[in-house]
Structures are given as structure tokens and as C-alpha cells.
Amino acid sequence: MKIDFFVSAFDKMDRKTKPPGSLGVLEGVAVRLAEIQQTLEPKLARKRICVYAGSHGVTSEGVSAYPGEVTGQMVLNFLSGGAAVNVLARHGGIDIQVVDAGVDAEWPGKLLDRPDFYFRSVRRGTSNFYREPAMDQSECEQALEVGREQVRAALNDGIDLLGIGEMGIGNTTAASTLLVALCGLKPEEAVGRGTGIDDISLEHKIQVVAGSFAKYFPLRLEPAGLYWLGVVGGFEIAAMTGTLLEAAKARLPVVVDGFIATAAAAAAFSIDNKSREICFFSHRSGEKGHGKALEALQVEPLLDLRMRLGEGTGVALAMPILDAAAKILCEMASFESAGVSGEIDRAN
Amino acid sequence: MKIDFFVSAFDKMDRKTKPPGSLGVLEGVAVRLAEIQQTLEPKLARKRICVYAGSHGVTSEGVSAYPGEVTGQMVLNFLSGGAAVNVLARHGGIDIQVVDAGVDAEWPGKLLDRPDFYFRSVRRGTSNFYREPAMDQSECEQALEVGREQVRAALNDGIDLLGIGEMGIGNTTAASTLLVALCGLKPEEAVGRGTGIDDISLEHKIQVVAGSFAKYFPLRLEPAGLYWLGVVGGFEIAAMTGTLLEAAKARLPVVVDGFIATAAAAAAFSIDNKSREICFFSHRSGEKGHGKALEALQVEPLLDLRMRLGEGTGVALAMPILDAAAKILCEMASFESAGVSGEIDRAN
């Protein structure tokens, strides 16, 4: 007989010493984890964030407040442990893997030996998609595979919960265009200030997004997610999509970071809607289009702290909350076991 | 020369390897912690939640879905480690102290020897404030002192961050009346379903709150917080107020739980507005009046997970986020130290 873990976990949650539903979002999270892991004792002991990095040809359009070389510099910062995601991941007891999916940088040889660095560069940056497609179809497949590989590595290492984050100067422009194409956002809704551009650059960024969408729209093919990843995506974005697709097959829960990772999720849902089932959205980003994108995808994030940094910083803060939800289902006493009286039956 | 830690911490935060402001709420929290602790390296290593329990005479009005004896039963559940707050506190590496501020229960002798249990009962439950004042002035002072004592104990034990939570069947009725009196909420805005009452009981609960407010309103004395705590409060609520007042003197940051703890904070702010400076609000509760109360107090909570359990469960989830914010200020690399390029100067 097949156990319906969703129903059984819900029933188990309702016997805990608390008014029904009073742990709010935690209860729904715990029940989903039970269903994903097919157990009434879900556990998220080992956690890992994959930080995918990629360079973007579209930076030559002047769409970012920072120069493109910051992408490579930040990869080194991740590997020396000084970035925000490092601090927050250490705090949460979370591993980090840094993946070069296509960064325009030369790495010192000793970096390539590190077990927490994957040099999987598809190419040293996408093409400027405002002028020509960001990548060709085989490069897109290769980038998806970069992300799939991380799921296999995580399963191999006994990881219970995976997170996806990113670094890529220029990638809010790619993500905005993806969200226009896949979620029906208007360019002016989807485009925000990213790392902090001024009004003139913002206006131009909207033009780049609207123009790119118009440029590639007539060529639309199915599945839309795969097509748009290729023409306006990024290597790190496609890698995140690959992670979600592979994790769905493996029933591995994945925590999605902010604006860029949500664009990767939109592509994944378009390619295989089953990938929805293993996704948890960490936070509502302060980046302008994120709220609308989450709404369009009909998902609710756990946190809303007006963060807009990416890297997986939202994931690092949300993972302990998911873990807490799992522990509620596993460790909390029931009314029977604790000898606590239940609700008054007012019918009597 | 006096260092302005607020300004210096803000400056330090702005040199970190991230676009300015991109860590959102975390940045403001870190800067406030620097100011409270008077250091550019704030730390929140040792954390503790005080769970204050008290019984309420107003339960005889039928305002709760659970019988009054659940308050005592839940104290035992806290002490055996099976309640939600225990699970979440263990998860977050947080101590718990359970304080009987006035529970209608007989405790087994061996309980009284436990170092994590404070038997400080003012009386075995307040009077039914719909009929007569909940407590007299000296009892109110005594309950405040119960909470003050916990601050001294925390300082003695080297605690860096304290949290206040509560248990008391009937105490949403007391908290709602306090919020009507102190924050100007309308009774129908301030009253929610608490542990989960039906429509008829909800209507009656609104009557009890509105009637109690009207009954005591002509007697209003200054400070309002002290007066209203006495006439419609609870022993556990007054104890939480005492904790905030004493913590403000000691510059000890305190995390406030949900609806009931916010009513205690409203009383504390009325008695000594300096207590505002050390308060962090953990979450927006699912209990109806909480959003309005937070608005009236002009404070913003960290989380919004539709929880409405009390006990300190919101505190337990928020404390790690405060700790994370402190670590960002202490541990994250600066642009200089990491060799990362800053913003493009578009004026050139």
C-alpha cells in the first residue's frame, strides 16, 4: 500500500502541542519536505549552496554600475571566504561550491585543484544578446549539464538540501529579459537598478531588455524556457536551470535565491513543470521585478528582507528555516505524549 | 573623543564587497547592534529566550478555545523539551529559561530545583478583568520585577541577546485590550481568534475587550503603560515589560516575539521610550491585530511566516538572522581587502 506522505505528514503536524495551523508557513514547508523525501521524518542535516558564475557580453551596453571584471574578482572572493554568502553560509552550517560556468578570467593553477571549485567554463562570457544570441544551442545544453552535474555531486556527498546562487555582472539584464519572455512581465516592470545604476542607465537597460525581447520573439520555439535561455540567458543562469531539472528527477529539495535564480526557475518550470515540486523560494528580493515574477510563478518566498545581492545570500538565510520546519515535524511533542489538553468541545 | 558607532558602523558596512544597501534589512540591524553594544564588532554568540507563563482570570468569560489548565501543562512541556519553542531554540543554539510569573498550577518539588525554571508566581492567575482589575499595583510592580530579574541573570551568564516569549491561555484577550488602550486600535481590529475560537466566541471576545477598555478608561493615570498593565494585563505580560525596561538600562538587545509580547513592548515604550532602542521585533504574527499594532508602534518585524503560536517561536527563528547581520559587519571582506573593483564612475 502506497503511503500518501502529504496527508500523513499533515495529520502528524496536527497532533503537535499547538493550535492547528499556528506555525503558519513552517507547517506547509514541513509537509512538502515529507512528501519530497517520502518520509514522516524529513531531515535537512547537510546543506550546500552552488554559486554559479558567468560573464555577460551585454555588459558592453553599459547596463551595470560595476565593470565586468568584478565577476572574476568575486569568484576569488568566494574562494577566500570573504563574500557575504561565505559569511552567511558559515553561520548556517552550509557548504559552498563555486562553479565557473563561463567567466571571463584567467585562474591561477592552484585554484583548479580545490575541491570546492569547479572549472566548467562553457566560454569566457556570453555574446552581447542585444546584438546576437547569447549562446548557441550546444553551449546552452553544455551549461545545463554544468548544473546537472552539481546535483549528482551533491547526492554523492549526502547533501539533503541544495541551494542555487549566482554571480555575474550584467545578469539582471539577462534575467529581466527572461522574465519578460517567460512570465509576461512588461520590460519596465522587469527591469530594476541591479547593482545600483542611475536613471539614464536604467532607461537604457529597459530599452536593451525590450529590444532584445522584440528581436528574438518571432523565433520562439518550444519549450520556451530552453529557447530563451539560449538567446538571452547566461551560462550561470542555464546552469541553475540544469540543477533544478536534475534535482526534480532525484527528488532533491532546492532553495532558489533571488531575482536571477528565479529567472532560472521560470526557465526550468517551462522545460519541466515537475521541477516546481522540489523548489523553495528563499526570499523576495529588493530588485524591482522580483515580486511580480514570484506572483507570475505563483510561488511564495520565505523571507522579505529587501536584500538584492544574489550570490545565494537569500538561500543561506532561508535554509535554517526549512531545517527548523523539518525538525518541528520530527521532534515536537504531541498532545498525547505531552499530556496537554486539547480544544474545548463547545458543542457539549 | 566619543565615537559615533552608528555612523562608523554604517561607513564600515559600505566598504563591504557588495553594492551599497544590497543586504537590505541586515545592514540596518547590524548598524543598530553596533550602536547598542558600542562596538564595530558586535557579537551575539550567547542567546537566551525567557518564556514567561501566567494564568488569566478572564478565561472564565469563554474567550479561548483551550481550557485554562493548558497553561500549566505547557510549562511542563517546555521543561521536558517537547514544545515548538524548544525545538526551534535547540535548532538555533538558544537557551531557554521558563518563568512562572503567576500560573494556576501545583509544581512537583523536583521542578523547583531546576536551573532553567524560575518559580516567581505573583499569584495563581490574574482576576477576571472584565469584572475587576486583573491585579493591584503592588502585584504589577512585583511582576515587572520578575522580568527585570531575568535581565540581571542574563548579564550574569554572559548572554548577548535576550528574547521574550510567553504562554498564558486567555492572554490574547489581555493583549488586545492593552493594544486598544495604548496604541489606539479599535476592539474589532485588535481582537483575533487566538488559539482558534469560533465566530460566536470571537464576537463575545470583542465585547469583553471593548467593555473592559470602557470600564477602566475613566481611571486612566500616567504612565498609561503601567496603569493598563495593572487593570487588564497579565503577570507574564508585565514580566516581559519589566525585561524590556531593565534591558534598556543595561543596553542589552532584546527580541520581541509576537502579538502578546508586542503588547508588553507597547507598555514598556509608554513607561520608558528608551526601551525602543534595544528592541528588535521578530515577526508579524498571523494573529489579527498584530500588523496594526506594529504599525502603530512604527516598528518593522524581521519575519512574516503567518505564525501565531507565541512561546517565543518567532524569536527563535529571528535570532539567527540578527546574529547573521552582526557577522556580516565583523567578517565580510571590504573592496580593498578583497581586491574587488568598485562602482564605475560614470561622470568620467
Side-chain angles (χ1 to χ4, degrees):
Chain A
M1 203 182 73
K2 193 170 170 288
I3 299 176
D4 185 331
F5 284 99
F6 199 88
V7 171
S8 309
F10 196 87
D11 181 62
K12 185 177 179 188
M13 186 60 87
D14 261 359
R15 293 166 197 268
K16 302 294 186 183
T17 49
K18 58 173 189 54
S22 61
L23 281 173
V25 171
L26 293 194
E27 300 194 14
V29 165
V31 166
R32 282 189 61 203
L33 288 168
E35 165 67 20
I36 293 170
Q37 294 191 347
Q38 297 279 295
T39 170
L40 293 179
E41 308 269 319
K43 85 170 174 32
L44 301 178
R46 298 204 55 194
K47 307 172 196 67
R48 173 180 291 172
I49 299 175
C50 298
V51 186
Y52 297 101
S55 295
H56 289 259
V58 76
T59 50
S60 59
E61 297 296 330
V63 289
S64 178
Y66 289 80
E69 60 262 30
V70 166
T71 305
Q73 292 165 347
M74 284 300 297
V75 165
L76 296 174
N77 198 17
F78 297 143
L79 289 167
S80 62
V85 70
N86 298 106
V87 176
L88 299 180
R90 273 198 300 275
H91 173 60
I94 303 162
D95 289 355
I96 291 186
Q97 299 280 14
V98 181
V99 184
D100 173 358
V103 178
D104 185 15
E106 215 54 88
W107 305 122
K110 64 180 175 168
L111 224 59
L112 304 179
D113 299 332
R114 283 183 57 152
D116 55 347
F117 181 62
Y118 284 73
F119 179 57
R120 295 290 185 272
S121 183
V122 176
R123 196 199 331 156
R124 283 178 60 164
T126 53
S127 305
N128 175 0
F129 63 76
Y130 191 46
R131 312 284 163 183
E132 59 185 314
M135 60 189 95
D136 66 30
Q137 205 185 321
S138 85
E139 288 175 323
C140 186
E141 291 289 351
Q142 201 184 327
L144 287 165
E145 178 54 28
V146 169
R148 291 184 188 274
E149 180 192 15
Q150 287 301 316
V151 174
R152 293 190 297 267
L155 293 172
N156 217 33
D157 296 344
I159 296 294
D160 302 303
L161 182 64
L162 200 59
I164 50 172
E166 47 55 51
M167 175 69 215
I169 295 296
N171 68 8
T172 57
T173 306
S176 295
T177 314
L178 282 168
L179 290 168
V180 167
L182 296 171
C183 295
L185 269 63
K186 292 178 196 149
E188 61 275 20
E189 288 174 343
V191 175
R193 291 181 191 272
T195 47
I197 52 174
D198 60 20
D199 288 352
I200 294 167
S201 304
L202 181 67
E203 204 46 57
H204 180 56
K205 187 173 168 186
I206 293 171
Q207 279 171 18
V208 169
V209 168
S212 301
F213 174 62
K215 180 180 172 74
Y216 300 109
F217 184 71
L219 304 176
R220 190 169 181 281
L221 300 171
E222 294 294 336
L226 196 59
Y227 168 70
W228 286 103
L229 271 182
V231 291
V232 303
F235 298 128
E236 82 285 28
I237 299 177
M240 290 190 286
T241 301
T243 295
L244 293 175
L245 294 172
E246 189 72 14
K249 283 191 199 163
R251 301 186 80 89
L252 179 68
V254 179
V255 187
V256 177
D257 195 33
F259 185 69
I260 325 290
T262 299
F269 294 0
S270 154
I271 296 168
D272 177 4
N273 200 37
K274 293 280 275 182
S275 57
R276 231 173 223 291
E277 293 170 16
I278 51 87
C279 278
F280 292 87
F281 287 78
S282 58
H283 75 128
R284 178 177 291 111
S285 160
E287 176 68 7
K288 190 179 168 196
H290 199 216
K292 287 260 179 204
L294 294 169
E295 238 175 73
L297 295 173
Q298 297 182 286
V299 294
E300 192 186 30
L302 286 162
L303 299 167
D304 187 354
L305 296 166
R306 293 194 297 276
M307 289 161 57
R308 49 181 174 80
L309 178 55
E311 300 181 359
T313 48
V315 173
L317 288 180
M319 278 183 161
I321 295 175
L322 289 162
D323 195 358
K327 286 178 178 169
I328 286 288
L329 195 59
C330 296
E331 298 177 18
M332 201 178 150
S334 66
F335 281 102
E336 299 86 327
S337 72
V340 174
S341 310
E343 284 182 77
I344 297 164
D345 186 351
R346 287 182 199 276
N348 296 330
Chain B
M1 200 183 74
K2 195 172 170 285
I3 299 175
D4 186 331
F5 285 99
F6 199 89
V7 172
S8 310
F10 197 87
D11 182 61
K12 184 177 180 188
M13 186 60 87
D14 261 1
R15 294 167 198 267
K16 303 293 188 184
T17 48
K18 58 171 189 54
S22 62
L23 282 173
V25 171
L26 292 194
E27 299 194 16
V29 165
V31 166
R32 281 190 62 203
L33 288 168
E35 164 68 19
I36 293 170
Q37 294 190 347
Q38 297 280 295
T39 171
L40 293 179
E41 307 269 319
K43 83 171 174 34
L44 301 178
R46 296 204 56 194
K47 307 170 196 71
R48 173 181 291 173
I49 299 174
C50 298
V51 186
Y52 298 100
S55 295
H56 288 259
V58 76
T59 49
S60 60
E61 297 296 329
V63 289
S64 177
Y66 289 80
E69 61 260 32
V70 165
T71 305
Q73 291 165 347
M74 283 300 296
V75 166
L76 296 174
N77 197 16
F78 297 143
L79 289 168
S80 61
V85 71
N86 298 106
V87 176
L88 299 179
R90 273 198 301 273
H91 173 60
I94 304 162
D95 288 354
I96 292 185
Q97 299 281 16
V98 180
V99 184
D100 174 357
V103 177
D104 185 15
E106 219 47 271
W107 305 122
K110 63 180 174 119
L111 225 59
L112 304 179
D113 300 332
R114 284 182 59 154
D116 56 347
F117 181 62
Y118 284 73
F119 179 56
R120 294 291 185 272
S121 182
V122 176
R123 198 202 327 157
R124 283 179 57 164
T126 53
S127 304
N128 176 359
F129 63 77
Y130 192 46
R131 313 283 166 185
E132 58 184 317
M135 61 189 96
D136 66 30
Q137 206 185 320
S138 85
E139 288 176 323
C140 186
E141 290 290 352
Q142 201 184 326
L144 287 165
E145 178 53 29
V146 169
R148 290 184 188 275
E149 180 192 16
Q150 287 302 316
V151 174
R152 295 190 296 268
L155 293 172
N156 217 33
D157 296 344
I159 295 294
D160 303 303
L161 182 64
L162 200 59
I164 50 172
E166 45 57 52
M167 174 69 214
I169 295 295
N171 68 7
T172 57
T173 305
S176 295
T177 314
L178 282 168
L179 290 168
V180 167
L182 296 170
C183 295
L185 269 63
K186 293 179 195 146
E188 62 274 21
E189 288 173 343
V191 175
R193 292 182 190 271
T195 47
I197 51 174
D198 60 21
D199 288 352
I200 294 167
S201 304
L202 180 67
E203 204 47 57
H204 180 56
K205 187 173 169 185
I206 293 171
Q207 279 171 20
V208 169
V209 168
S212 301
F213 174 62
K215 180 180 172 76
Y216 299 109
F217 184 70
L219 304 176
R220 191 170 181 280
L221 300 170
E222 292 297 334
L226 197 58
Y227 168 70
W228 286 104
L229 271 182
V231 291
V232 303
F235 297 128
E236 82 286 25
I237 298 177
M240 290 190 286
T241 301
T243 295
L244 293 175
L245 294 172
E246 188 72 14
K249 284 190 200 164
R251 302 186 79 90
L252 179 68
V254 179
V255 187
V256 177
D257 195 34
F259 185 69
I260 324 289
T262 298
F269 294 0
S270 156
I271 296 168
D272 177 3
N273 200 35
K274 294 279 275 182
S275 57
R276 233 173 219 291
E277 293 171 15
I278 50 89
C279 277
F280 292 86
F281 286 77
S282 59
H283 76 129
R284 179 176 291 112
S285 160
E287 177 68 6
K288 190 179 168 193
H290 198 219
K292 287 260 178 202
L294 294 168
E295 237 174 76
L297 295 174
Q298 297 182 284
V299 294
E300 192 186 31
L302 287 162
L303 299 167
D304 186 354
L305 296 166
R306 293 195 297 278
M307 289 161 57
R308 48 180 174 79
L309 178 55
E311 299 181 1
T313 48
V315 173
L317 288 180
M319 278 183 162
I321 295 176
L322 290 163
D323 195 357
K327 287 179 178 171
I328 286 288
L329 195 60
C330 297
E331 298 178 19
M332 202 177 148
S334 67
F335 280 102
E336 300 85 328
S337 72
V340 174
S341 310
E343 283 182 77
I344 298 165
D345 186 352
R346 288 182 198 277
N348 297 330

